[in-house]
Amino acid sequence: DCRCLQLLRGGQLTQAVNIVDCQRLEQAGWIHPRHVTVPLRTAGGVVGVMNLVLPRRRVLTTRELATLSAIGDQIGLAAERARLYDEVLAKDALRGELLQKLITAHEDERRRIARELHDEAGQALTALILNLEVTERSSTVPGEQQRLRRLRGIAEDTLAELRKMIYDLRPTILDDLGL
């Protein structure tokens, strides 16, 4: 612990100040250590300090301290912007993951619907067409064959339309090549 950190925690460090006899620099082996402590401020408060070691017997003037305070404010703002930028990147990555999950869920649902249409309705229509064809061939009533042929045509058109809907829901190229 040292005086500049005590000032920072106490909320008393509002501008750059000359610190004489720094405890941390003494512990690091400096003889007669002195430094300037500059608060790194943002709109939300002080986020840290910048210490500049001074030569022996050097004390900065009020104007030099004001300049260092302005520099500290700029460094604090840059640090805050970097933090905010990282936050935006993290949120953007999360949004991308959620979007990918949404697309996957949509594709899975389309695949399921297409499979159900193919398996249930498609097979039922195919069975209907085959039964109409067998009945048409075995029918001996002259007008009935034509009516059965027309019904089979309607069923075949419906099956073709169903296959088109299935393809529109899930084009096979997606399974082959993907997006």
Side-chain angles (χ1 to χ4, degrees):
D1 201 20
C2 69
R3 187 164 175 225
C4 58
L5 292 177
Q6 291 168 359
L7 290 172
L8 178 68
R9 277 195 302 272
Q12 300 168 342
L13 191 59
T14 57
Q15 62 183 12
V17 294
N18 286 300
I19 302 286
V20 180
D21 299 326
C22 177
Q23 297 165 355
R24 280 187 299 152
L25 292 177
E26 281 180 4
Q27 291 172 356
W30 290 70
I31 301 171
H32 303 294
R34 315 164 69 117
H35 67 80
V36 174
T37 297
V38 181
L40 305 178
R41 295 184 295 210
T42 65
V46 179
V47 295
V49 293
M50 173 177 63
N51 291 327
L52 303 169
V53 177
L54 296 174
R56 199 172 190 177
R57 294 189 199 104
R58 172 80 160 97
V59 175
L60 296 183
T61 65
T62 305
R63 185 176 176 160
E64 291 170 324
L65 290 173
T67 301
L68 286 175
S69 287
I71 292 170
D73 291 346
Q74 293 299 314
I75 293 171
L77 287 174
E80 180 69 9
R81 284 183 181 153
R83 185 191 64 76
L84 291 173
Y85 181 72
D86 289 343
E87 202 174 289
V88 166
L89 288 179
K91 286 182 180 181
D92 192 45
L94 179 62
R95 185 184 55 80
E97 289 174 19
L98 291 174
L99 185 61
Q100 184 61 42
K101 287 180 182 180
L102 179 65
I103 289 171
T104 301
H106 278 226
E107 286 301 313
D108 290 346
E109 185 64 14
R110 286 172 168 247
R111 186 181 302 117
R112 184 189 64 76
I113 291 170
R115 187 174 44 249
E116 285 180 14
L117 284 174
H118 177 270
D119 291 348
E120 294 174 17
Q123 288 178 3
L125 280 171
T126 301
L128 178 65
I129 291 168
L130 290 174
N131 283 324
L132 284 171
E133 188 176 340
V134 168
T135 306
E136 178 189 337
R137 286 186 186 160
S138 64
S139 176
T140 56
V141 180
E144 193 173 301
Q145 283 183 340
Q146 186 177 0
R147 213 171 38 235
L148 289 169
R149 192 174 304 121
R150 192 175 69 241
L151 287 174
R152 185 170 48 94
I154 292 170
E156 286 172 348
D157 290 345
T158 304
L159 181 61
E161 195 62 35
L162 180 67
R163 286 184 178 149
K164 183 179 177 291
M165 285 175 40
I166 291 170
Y167 181 78
D168 288 345
L169 271 174
R170 185 73 187 162
T172 55
I173 195 165
L174 289 179
D175 292 327
D176 297 339
L177 301 177
L179 289 176

